[in-house]
Amino acid sequence: MKPLIAISPSSSPSVLRKSRLSPYIFTLLAFTLFVAVLYGEDFMCMFDRELQLSSVSTWLLSTTERKSGEAGSLPFAIGTLEEGCDIFRGRWVRDESTRPHYEESDCPYIQPQLTCQAQGRPDKKYQFWRWQPHGCNLPSFNATLMLETLRGKRMMFVGDSLNRGQFVSMVCLLQSAIPEGAKSMETFGSLTVFTAKDYNATIEFYWAPFLLESNSDDAIVHRISDRIVRKGSINKHGKHWKGTDIMVFNTYLWWMTGLKMKVLKGSFDDEAKDVVELSTEDAYRMGMKSMLRWAQRNMDPSKTRVFFVSMSPTHGKSIDWGGEPGGNCYNETAMIEDPNYWGSDCRKSVMRVIGEVFGKTKVPITLLNITQLSSYRKDAHTSIYKKQWSKLTAEQLANPASYADCVHWCLPGLQDTWNELLFTKLFYP
Ligand SMILES: *[C@@H]1O[C@H](CO)[C@@H](O)[C@H](O)[C@H]1NC(C)=O
Ligand SMILES: *[C@@H]1O[C@H](CO)[C@@H](O)[C@H](O)[C@H]1NC(C)=O
Ligand SMILES: *[C@@H]1O[C@H](CO)[C@@H](O)[C@H](O)[C@H]1NC(C)=O
Ligand SMILES: *[C@@H]1O[C@H](CO)[C@@H](O)[C@H](O)[C@H]1NC(C)=O
């Protein structure tokens, strides 16, 4: 497996020239921003704090209910849940008999960024939690049903490394039901394809961290600073998504530069680039609208389903949950108990944009609102138990929190729950 995030200052000479920084300074700057992205939620929270989240969410929920209410006719539906049950409101319940769904060592497709046990994580408690909605029970994940449903079909995850984690989780949930030799995983540039041969089914992941074309689109060497996203460019990637039966989008973290977002009009090949700066919210709204337009033009609502996974929370600052200053998710083995815990405010303003855009659209898209339930799970990150791509310095080793990853999640773990919720919304909309 290749690193998901790598830094190559030589990957875009034109930007280098323009920036008039020496490659060395550029690398340093890039690295600083990279660290800032991973660990500094301060960087992400520089816009719009005052919100009426609750009114937005009530409105959005009623929209979603209305859409699913119209349809026993929704494709793939086989039943319904208790009337009005919001599966995203609930609590975590300890469950040692049915969790985890699989053993880390039994799923060969997990990349070494997420194999926490193999990378030395000493505790396992994070694997034994089940999500229990307040209003109903979740149906149990049935791999055979999922595979039968996917027979002759394509399911595709499109987005960033968090979506890749959810894709891998889905593959792990299904792969044990497929015999050796009848399954494979291959990568072609931005596209990774898991094939279940006997089912003629594929589950795919397409790397597009902004969904739109950007200068961060290389699946291996991503640009991590000075990001530019191109307006109106979703077909650049979207042409590779056509013919998909079940789409699962996400996009969030890469928009959170902490600065205004640079948006390119015209083409990346233009000599004189026409770049405007938008607030993070406005830029994100543009991305959401492009996604919905793409879905409207390319997905047949009578045969296909489209999902959007809300923001995956990070746990980079322990003061957010009343911990010691300077700490983060490192050494956290218990979840946050406060049911009202939300974390940093900027997630709310992004949630509001999602609510506004989804509330107005006629495109049937299902929101997987995993943000709140995941925000409790400071125990579930990969932390320092992931493959490190560069040699750690003595200084870092002396202070493990300094290199803990509080963005991504161990597998098996939290993201299996996201897929149980996807399973639920697919079959019991
Ligand atoms: C997402 O779910 C949380 C928890 O139930 C809720 O507080 C929030 O308002 C929801 N957001 C939307 C847009 O529905
Ligand atoms: C899982 O789904 C398959 C195919 O629909 C069905 O035959 C089987 O009974 C289901 N298993 C459970 C435990 O519900
Ligand atoms: C396999 O599935 C693809 C869609 O992913 C479909 O176009 C093709 O006809 C299927 N082939 C067979 C032999 O069923
Ligand atoms: C980790 O947390 C435990 C308490 O939960 C504490 O005793 C220990 O000192 C911590 N270790 C480090 C390295 O911070």
Side-chain angles (χ1 to χ4, degrees), residues 120-367:
R121 183 160 177 169
D123 60 306
K124 261 191 152 173
K125 200 172 155 194
Y126 67 92
Q127 296 184 352
F128 295 94
W129 296 100
R130 177 169 58 76
W131 181 247
Q132 176 63 57
H134 291 315
C136 55
N137 293 322
L138 294 179
S140 358
F141 189 90
N142 181 335
T144 312
L145 172 60
M146 192 74 211
L147 284 166
E148 285 297 345
T149 304
L150 288 175
R151 193 177 281 282
K153 294 197 163 58
R154 292 172 79 191
M155 175 177 200
M156 189 183 275
F157 292 79
V158 175
D160 61 22
S161 58
L162 289 150
N163 204 296
R164 183 195 290 261
Q166 188 175 351
F167 155 74
V168 173
S169 155
M170 180 59 87
V171 168
C172 291
L173 287 166
L174 298 180
Q175 67 92 26
S176 62
I178 305 168
E180 263 343 291
K183 55 195 169 192
S184 64
M185 180 111 108
E186 283 175 288
T187 295
F188 316 88
S190 294
L191 185 67
T192 300
V193 180
F194 175 81
T195 306
K197 295 192 184 62
D198 299 342
Y199 293 89
N200 183 32
T202 59
I203 299 160
E204 310 179 21
F205 169 73
Y206 187 101
W207 168 263
F210 290 97
L211 306 181
L212 301 176
E213 182 182 10
S214 75
N215 61 352
S216 313
D217 287 344
D218 190 298
I220 295 153
V221 185
H222 320 321
R223 166 162 299 283
I224 49 127
S225 67
D226 203 16
R227 295 169 216 168
I228 304 175
V229 58
R230 192 181 136 220
K231 189 174 169 51
S233 63
I234 198 158
N235 286 328
K236 162 90 186 199
H237 298 306
K239 61 177 187 272
H240 302 287
W241 314 335
K242 290 187 180 186
T244 302
D245 300 280
I246 300 172
M247 271 302 256
V248 186
F249 289 109
N250 94 326
T251 186
Y252 166 59
L253 210 52
W254 286 73
W255 300 87
M256 301 300 121
T257 59
L259 305 167
K260 292 216 161 199
M261 187 73 216
K262 293 198 171 102
V263 176
L264 174 72
K265 300 171 162 182
S267 147
F268 276 106
D269 297 331
D270 293 346
E271 276 297 318
K273 294 199 182 15
D274 181 5
V275 173
V276 296
E277 296 196 343
L278 293 186
S279 71
T280 309
E281 268 181 306
D282 286 344
Y284 192 82
R285 184 179 292 108
M286 172 191 79
M288 289 291 98
K289 286 185 173 170
S290 295
M291 174 183 75
L292 290 172
R293 250 195 320 273
W294 184 89
Q296 184 167 30
R297 291 183 184 155
N298 297 282
M299 300 293 287
D300 176 350
S302 69
K303 297 199 182 83
T304 67
R305 289 287 301 273
V306 185
F307 295 90
F308 181 77
V309 185
S310 65
M311 306 82 76
S312 175
T314 58
H315 293 90
K317 271 195 315 198
S318 42
I319 46 170
D320 282 354
W321 56 85
E324 293 292 312
N328 56 24
C329 71
Y330 169 64
N331 200 26
E332 293 291 348
T333 55
M335 73 178 75
I336 294 166
E337 300 288 347
D338 174 7
N340 297 316
Y341 179 79
W342 178 265
S344 80
D345 277 358
C346 57
R347 276 174 225 144
K348 291 193 180 174
S349 85
V350 173
M351 191 66 104
R352 186 178 65 169
V353 172
I354 297 172
E356 283 168 5
V357 176
F358 282 31
K360 281 184 206 146
T361 186
K362 293 201 175 65
V363 180
I365 185 162
T366 304
L367 177 69

Side-chain angles (χ1 to χ4, degrees), residues 64-75:
T64 319
E65 293 309 312
R66 176 162 46 74
K67 271 174 197 148
S68 33
E70 278 163 14
S73 60
L74 269 186

